[in-house]
Amino acid sequence: IEASSTPSVAVSSTPSLHSSMSPSMSPSSTPTICVENVALGKLTEQSSNYQPGTGFSDVAVDGNTDGVYDNGSVTHTYTSSKDPWWSVDLENGYLIESIAVWNRNAYSERLADFVLTISRDGVDVYTYTYLGIPAGGGTANEIKLPEPVTGDKVKIQIFGEERILSLAEVQVFAFCGSEITPSPTSSPSIEPSIKPSIEPSSTPTVCFENVALGKQTAQSSDY
C-alpha cells in the first residue's frame, strides 16, 4: 500500500500548483486599477459668464490644464456673482473614485473653500468642502472619495457676495466599464408591430381574457 499511494500524491499535486501560479503572480506585483476621466468633453454650465468670447464653462473639460487665463482655457463667472457655481453633466451614471480640480495660476485664492457635490438623478450623494486655497500653477488638487459613489453630475460652488469662480480643468475619474445607462422609455421592438396595424382614423382593438379560468382556488371553509 505504501509503495503505490505515497508517490502518486507527491508527484501530481506539488508541481501543478507551482507551474500554474508562478507565471501570473509574483510576490511584488500590485493589481492594476483602471480609471478614466468621464468628464472630458461633456456638457457643462455655470451660473454666469464674465464677458463674450472667454471664460466659458466648457473649457474646464477640454483636456487642457493650463491655468493661465489669457491662454483661453480657464472658466470665469461674472465679477459681481453671488454664490457662483459650475457643473458638468456626465450623461450617464459612473462609479466615481476621485476628482481632480485644477485651479488657475493668478488669483488662485478666488477658489478658496469651494464645495464639490456629486449627484445622481438630482439627488446629492456626496459633498466635500475644500478648506483653504487650492494650489494653482499646474498642480492638481485631488479629492479622493472615502468610498466610490455612483453619480451623473458634478458641481463646484463657492459661497459669498461678489465672488468669482474660475477653473482650469475638472477631471472626474471613474472605474473603467462602470457606466450605467438609463433604461429606455419604450422598447424599439414594440413599435414595428403596432404601427402597421393602426391607421390614422382607426381605433386600436383592446383584447381581454379571463386569466382565472380553471386555476387553483381556496376558501376559508366548506358548507
Side-chain angles (χ1 to χ4, degrees), residues 33-39 42 88-100 116-120 123 125-126 142-155 170-180:
I33 299 176
C34 175
V35 294
E36 57 182 335
N37 177 17
V38 296
K42 296 295 175 63
V88 56
D89 184 353
L90 304 178
E91 298 177 2
N92 295 315
Y94 291 90
L95 189 60
I96 300 172
E97 184 257 356
S98 63
I99 296 176
L116 180 144
T117 304
I118 300 174
S119 60
R120 183 182 183 190
V123 179
V125 295
Y126 177 78
E142 184 180 12
I143 300 169
K144 182 85 170 180
L145 275 62
E147 59 182 35
V149 297
T150 300
D152 54 24
K153 189 173 185 178
V154 173
K155 181 179 180 180
V170 177
Q171 299 167 322
V172 181
F173 294 104
F175 291 103
C176 300
S178 67
E179 181 179 6
I180 302 174

Side-chain angles (χ1 to χ4, degrees), residues 13-72:
S13 61
T14 306
S16 62
L17 289 175
H18 285 285
S19 61
S20 62
M21 293 177 64
S22 297
S24 61
M25 184 181 297
S26 61
S28 60
S29 64
T30 303
T32 301
I33 299 176
C34 175
V35 294
E36 57 182 335
N37 177 17
V38 296
L40 187 64
K42 296 295 175 63
L43 182 65
T44 61
E45 57 180 344
Q46 60 187 9
S47 54
S48 62
N49 293 320
Y50 173 50
Q51 58 186 7
T54 61
F56 293 140
S57 63
D58 60 345
V59 298
V61 293
D62 62 358
N64 186 357
T65 59
D66 185 0
V68 179
Y69 181 78
D70 290 340
N71 290 344

Side-chain angles (χ1 to χ4, degrees), residues 132-200:
I133 301 174
T139 301
N141 299 277
E142 184 180 12
I143 300 169
K144 182 85 170 180
L145 275 62
E147 59 182 35
V149 297
T150 300
D152 54 24
K153 189 173 185 178
V154 173
K155 181 179 180 180
I156 294 176
Q157 187 170 16
I158 53 178
F159 294 90
E161 301 286 345
E162 297 186 359
R163 297 290 301 272
I164 298 174
L165 177 60
S166 285
L167 298 164
E169 190 76 9
V170 177
Q171 299 167 322
V172 181
F173 294 104
F175 291 103
C176 300
S178 67
E179 181 179 6
I180 302 174
T181 57
S183 301
T185 56
S186 61
S187 176
S189 61
I190 295 178
E191 291 187 1
S193 63
I194 294 179
K195 285 185 176 179
S197 62
I198 301 177
E199 297 296 331

